[in-house]
Amino acid sequence: MKPTKFSSSSSLFIICLCLVSYDVVPALGLKLYENLCSETRKYSQDCLDLLKRDKRIVASENYHELSVYILDFAIKEAKSYEVYLVGKAKKFPNDQAVKICATQLITTTVAAFESSFSDLDKDLQTSIADAVSAGIGADKCDKAIQNEKPEFDPKPIHTRNNEMLLLSVISVLAINHLT
């Protein structure tokens, strides 16, 4: 059997077909944040649900813009969570875990997201490290609450801690695209 010869137009067609196949994300119409959320694997739906709450994130057209908006969103969410924890600590003054979460742990999460944001245009590696450390306070808060067995339903705190952890991961993934 003789090998098939391709004409130059056939070769050009195959090359174009390969290029189109390679560029799947835009061809499928995925937005940048959707592509980023797919990188979180088993948490991609949680990621999508969380990031859809900010229209700027949804409309982002490049990874720098996306990183800025995600970090800004993370700061706002962390501050909102801090206010919630402070209120919870006032309502349950004998609960040491909530007190520590409200006065120390979530404060470090807010500060780390703010630091990551301020380092974004100066030092990407430091910005990534700060984004990673933002999740540490939320993780320690979650463990403290689980260990203490509070007299209230801890599910809302657990949910918010998971959101902070996910925002930490998402921030790292977005910033990493800039390196």
Side-chain angles (χ1 to χ4, degrees):
M1 203 194 275
K2 274 183 154 178
T4 308
K5 286 189 176 182
F6 291 104
S7 67
S8 61
S9 62
S10 295
S11 297
L12 184 60
F13 175 74
I14 290 171
I15 290 170
C16 288
L17 186 59
C18 288
L19 290 174
V20 170
S21 297
Y22 179 74
D23 201 8
V24 174
V25 173
L28 293 176
L30 290 180
K31 293 188 177 206
L32 203 54
Y33 85 100
E34 292 170 322
N35 187 45
L36 184 70
C37 283
S38 71
E39 294 177 35
T40 64
R41 310 231 190 273
K42 69 180 184 175
Y43 302 104
S44 70
Q45 189 58 52
D46 294 330
C47 175
L48 290 169
D49 293 342
L50 188 59
L51 296 186
K52 281 182 191 175
R53 298 190 322 211
D54 190 314
K55 292 177 184 177
R56 299 170 308 157
I57 291 171
V58 173
S60 295
E61 295 182 6
N62 61 61
Y63 278 105
H64 183 269
E65 210 174 75
L66 185 63
S67 298
V68 167
Y69 295 147
I70 287 172
L71 286 168
D72 185 56
F73 178 71
I75 291 166
K76 288 176 185 171
E77 289 297 308
K79 286 181 176 181
S80 166
Y81 181 39
E82 184 176 33
V83 168
Y84 171 80
L85 284 173
V86 167
K88 197 59 108 168
K90 285 180 183 174
K91 190 172 181 178
F92 298 95
N94 296 328
D95 192 311
Q96 291 303 308
V98 172
K99 183 178 179 181
I100 290 169
C101 286
T103 60
Q104 296 171 22
L105 300 176
I106 196 61
T107 304
T108 62
T109 296
V110 171
F113 278 131
E114 289 175 334
S115 184
S116 179
F117 185 86
S118 71
D119 287 330
L120 187 62
D121 291 327
K122 297 180 239 169
D123 183 350
L124 290 176
Q125 294 308 315
T126 301
S127 183
I128 289 170
D130 292 336
V132 167
S133 64
I136 294 170
D139 185 51
K140 286 182 177 180
C141 175
D142 209 52
K143 287 176 181 165
I145 296 292
Q146 287 174 10
N147 289 338
E148 188 161 304
K149 309 283 189 245
E151 56 187 87
F152 55 86
D153 181 10
K155 287 179 189 170
I157 291 178
H158 178 69
T159 300
R160 293 299 297 267
N161 283 329
N162 284 342
E163 287 177 355
M164 293 299 107
L165 287 166
L166 185 55
L167 283 169
S168 172
V169 169
I170 294 166
S171 298
V172 169
L173 290 171
I175 298 165
N176 199 47
H177 280 277
L178 302 176
T179 59

